[in-house]
């Protein structure tokens, strides 16, 4: 009987891992199934552009995995049972269960409302393609009005900054306000913060600093200081959360539901389960948890792949890099900030801004799309056979 590998999620991490495993492992010994709720690859890094009104490329997963032995199951994951080694899914035909021998959990993340009343009912977000398109429809309706409209972006993390600047540049008839809980761009160096402020001024964005939102209503948000801010479209970008599926299944998770993994992305509670991307709570080479990001998806995906191939084929498991080097922030299509960080994850004094940073970010987006759309390109063609008894417990990591 073939060794069954099931990959949950076909985002930046899942698509890469599935394609690489297919290229590295012999089809005589394995079968790989990818479960994803949507039929296309979603460029999550560019969903704020989609919401602002731009067209972004969405490769079909059937085309991404064409020519491989990967089976694509279009379904929504509803439960994971690591004791029985099955995954429950729901689709148009009712769904069912998929058994596995090795599981790669890469279901990503969604918007976190932090328990703020009204977010789920009234706010928009850009963490998924359907929600980004919903925001786009709302912005279209506001743009058609003679009096325009007001857009309130809550959260000044990278997603909030990129969303506010993209909307302001793409839809100059709308009034955009960016609400920051602390100082605007607090995670950036002094020079980069100054550049960000200048970009907001240039684009006509109003920045409200040291402002905490306590409730979201249909046409306004209520702040902790008692003020009410009018809003025709409130965009919530104040953090991310993961699905409760891993926790409900009995996997060891953090307080916020991320799967606790060892250095090789292996679950510390269930040795035949691996996690990558936003779903994994992984400690980077700097001793700090890797942030939820596309870059982290790449690093954790490479490590998970190396571990799965090594253990199934009886080879030593190499430790790949787990780095957090910095942030690439777009400020519309013609401006940006490249902010590198030190080993303590603090912003370095120097930064790159302007068109050069925008070109670098655009290059990263193109590279990420191409790599995700061609997951087997450039990989060794040699197919490794599985060991007689694949390792599911003993550690064989290279220091």
């Amino acid at each position: 009987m073939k060794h069954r590998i099931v990959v949950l999620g076909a985002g930046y991490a899942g698509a890469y891992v599935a394609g690489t495993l297919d290229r590295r492992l012999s089809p005589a010994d394995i079968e790989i199934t990818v479960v994803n709720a949507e039929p296309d690859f979603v460029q999550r890094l560019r969903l704020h552009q989609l919401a602002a009104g731009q067209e972004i490329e969405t490769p079909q997963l059937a085309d991404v995995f064409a020519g491989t032995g990967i089976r694509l199951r279009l379904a929504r994951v509803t439960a994971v049972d690591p004791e029985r080694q099955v995954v429950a899914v729901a689709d148009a035909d009712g769904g069912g269960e998929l058994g596995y021998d090795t599981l790669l959990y890469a279901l990503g993340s969604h918007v976190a409302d932090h328990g703020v009343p009204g977010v789920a009912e009234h706010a928009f977000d850009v963490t998924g393609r359907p929600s980004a398109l919903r925001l786009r429809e709302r912005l279209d309706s506001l743009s058609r009005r003679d009096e325009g409209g007001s857009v309130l972006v809550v959260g000044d993390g990278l997603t909030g900054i990129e969303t506010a600047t993209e909307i302001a540049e793409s839809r100059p008839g709308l009034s955009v306000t960016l609400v920051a809980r602390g100082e605007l761009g607090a995670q950036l160096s002094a020079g980069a913060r100054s550049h960000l402020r200048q970009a907001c001024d240039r684009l006509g964005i109003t920045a409200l600093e040291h402002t905490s939102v306590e409730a979201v209503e249909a046409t306004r948000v209520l702040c902790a200081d008692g003020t009410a801010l009018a809003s025709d479209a409130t965009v919530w970008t104040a953090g991310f959360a993961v699905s409760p599926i891993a926790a409900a299944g009995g996997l060891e998770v953090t307080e916020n539901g991320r799967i606790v993994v060892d250095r090789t992305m292996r679950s510390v509670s269930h040795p035949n389960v691996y996690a990558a991307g936003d779903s994994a709570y992984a400690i980077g080479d700097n001793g700090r948890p890797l942030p939820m990001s596309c870059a982290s998806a790449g690093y954790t995906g490479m490590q998970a792949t190396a571990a799965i191939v090594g253990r199934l084929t009886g080879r030593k498991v190499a430790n790949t890099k787990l780095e957090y080097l910095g942030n690439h922030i777009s400020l519309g299509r013609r401006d940006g900030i490249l902010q590198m960080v030190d080993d303590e994850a603090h912003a370095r004094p120097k930064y790159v801004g302007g068109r050069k940073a925008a070109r670098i970010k655009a290059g990263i987006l193109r590279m990420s799309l191409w790599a995700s759309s061609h997951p087997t390109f450039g990989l060794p063609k040699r197919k490794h056979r599985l060991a007689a008894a694949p390792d599911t417990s003993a550690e064989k990591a290279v220091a």
Side-chain angles (χ1 to χ4, degrees):
M1 182 176 178
K2 292 185 179 182
H3 188 94
R4 301 163 300 172
I5 299 175
V6 174
V7 177
L8 304 183
Y12 293 108
Y16 170 83
V17 173
T20 307
L21 292 177
D22 178 78
R23 188 67 173 265
R24 299 297 303 277
L25 299 174
S26 172
D29 298 330
I30 65 159
E31 61 180 34
I32 300 173
T33 301
V34 174
V35 182
N36 201 64
E38 298 186 32
D40 45 28
F41 175 79
V42 176
Q43 292 193 71
R44 183 163 175 176
L45 284 174
R46 299 185 63 190
L47 287 179
H48 61 287
Q49 292 177 242
L50 179 66
Q54 301 164 32
E55 297 302 325
I56 64 174
E57 193 173 347
T58 56
Q60 295 293 298
L61 289 174
D63 295 332
V64 170
F65 297 130
T68 72
I70 296 171
R71 302 176 181 179
L72 178 61
R73 178 72 180 269
L74 296 178
R76 180 173 54 87
V77 179
T78 58
V80 172
D81 187 339
E83 303 303 328
R84 295 173 52 226
Q85 295 186 198
V86 297
V87 176
V89 300
D91 57 21
D93 298 324
E97 289 186 339
L98 294 174
Y100 67 83
D101 299 300
T102 296
L103 180 71
L104 188 281
Y105 190 108
L107 289 179
S109 61
H110 56 269
V111 68
D113 62 18
H114 302 297
V116 176
V119 171
E121 296 83 2
H122 304 298
F124 298 85
D125 68 81
V126 292
T127 58
R129 181 175 171 82
S131 57
L133 289 173
R134 177 171 165 262
L135 172 57
R136 178 172 176 158
E137 291 176 0
R138 178 57 176 163
L139 297 179
D140 285 343
S141 67
L142 294 178
S143 296
R144 288 192 294 266
R145 301 192 324 186
D146 293 336
E147 67 274 21
S150 59
V151 178
L152 198 66
V153 180
V154 181
D156 70 325
L158 306 188
T159 302
I161 292 171
E162 292 194 328
T163 301
T165 53
E166 201 74 50
I167 293 175
E169 181 179 272
S170 299
R171 300 174 182 268
L174 300 179
S175 172
V176 179
T177 299
L178 178 58
V179 179
R181 191 178 184 88
E183 181 184 5
L184 179 64
Q187 72 273 44
L188 303 174
S189 63
R193 287 198 301 273
S194 177
H195 187 97
L196 173 58
R197 290 180 185 280
Q198 292 173 17
C200 288
D201 290 342
R202 172 175 55 83
L203 294 169
I205 298 171
T206 300
L208 296 180
E209 300 176 276
H210 307 288
T211 302
S212 178
V213 173
E214 290 197 336
V216 178
E217 298 180 353
T219 59
R220 65 177 186 170
V221 301
L222 305 180
C223 302
D225 61 4
T227 60
L229 304 173
S231 175
D232 294 307
T234 299
V235 188
W236 192 264
T237 65
F240 304 104
V242 298
S243 167
I245 288 175
L251 290 161
E252 184 170 335
V253 299
T254 61
E255 187 175 311
N256 63 358
R258 300 173 75 186
I259 298 174
V260 181
V261 296
D262 63 14
R263 180 56 177 76
T264 67
M265 300 305 113
R266 192 187 214 178
S267 165
V268 298
S269 62
H270 294 80
N272 58 350
V273 176
Y274 294 79
D278 289 354
S279 302
Y281 180 78
I283 304 301
D285 293 338
N286 62 357
R288 297 174 178 274
L290 291 175
M292 294 184 180
S293 68
C294 174
S296 296
Y299 285 123
T300 56
M302 286 187 282
Q303 179 60 81
T305 303
I308 293 171
V309 171
R311 292 193 175 102
L312 292 186
T313 61
R315 291 170 167 78
K316 289 184 177 180
V317 176
N319 283 349
T320 63
K321 292 181 179 180
L322 294 177
E323 298 178 307
Y324 171 41
L325 300 177
N327 298 308
H328 305 82
I329 311 168
S330 64
L331 305 174
R333 296 298 83 214
R334 296 179 293 276
D335 193 4
I337 293 173
L338 169 57
Q339 177 69 74
M340 306 305 288
V341 301
D342 59 23
D343 291 340
E344 299 298 317
H346 297 146
R348 296 183 183 276
K350 293 185 178 180
Y351 77 100
V352 177
R355 289 183 178 271
K356 182 177 181 180
R359 288 195 294 269
I360 293 173
K361 178 63 181 286
I364 291 172
L365 293 174
R366 288 193 297 269
M367 179 181 67
S368 298
L369 173 62
W370 197 93
S372 299
S373 302
H374 302 79
T376 64
F377 180 81
L379 296 175
K381 294 183 178 180
R382 182 182 178 186
K383 303 277 190 176
H384 297 300
R385 298 298 300 269
L386 267 60
D391 172 38
T392 60
S393 57
E395 187 63 37
K396 295 183 179 181
V398 176

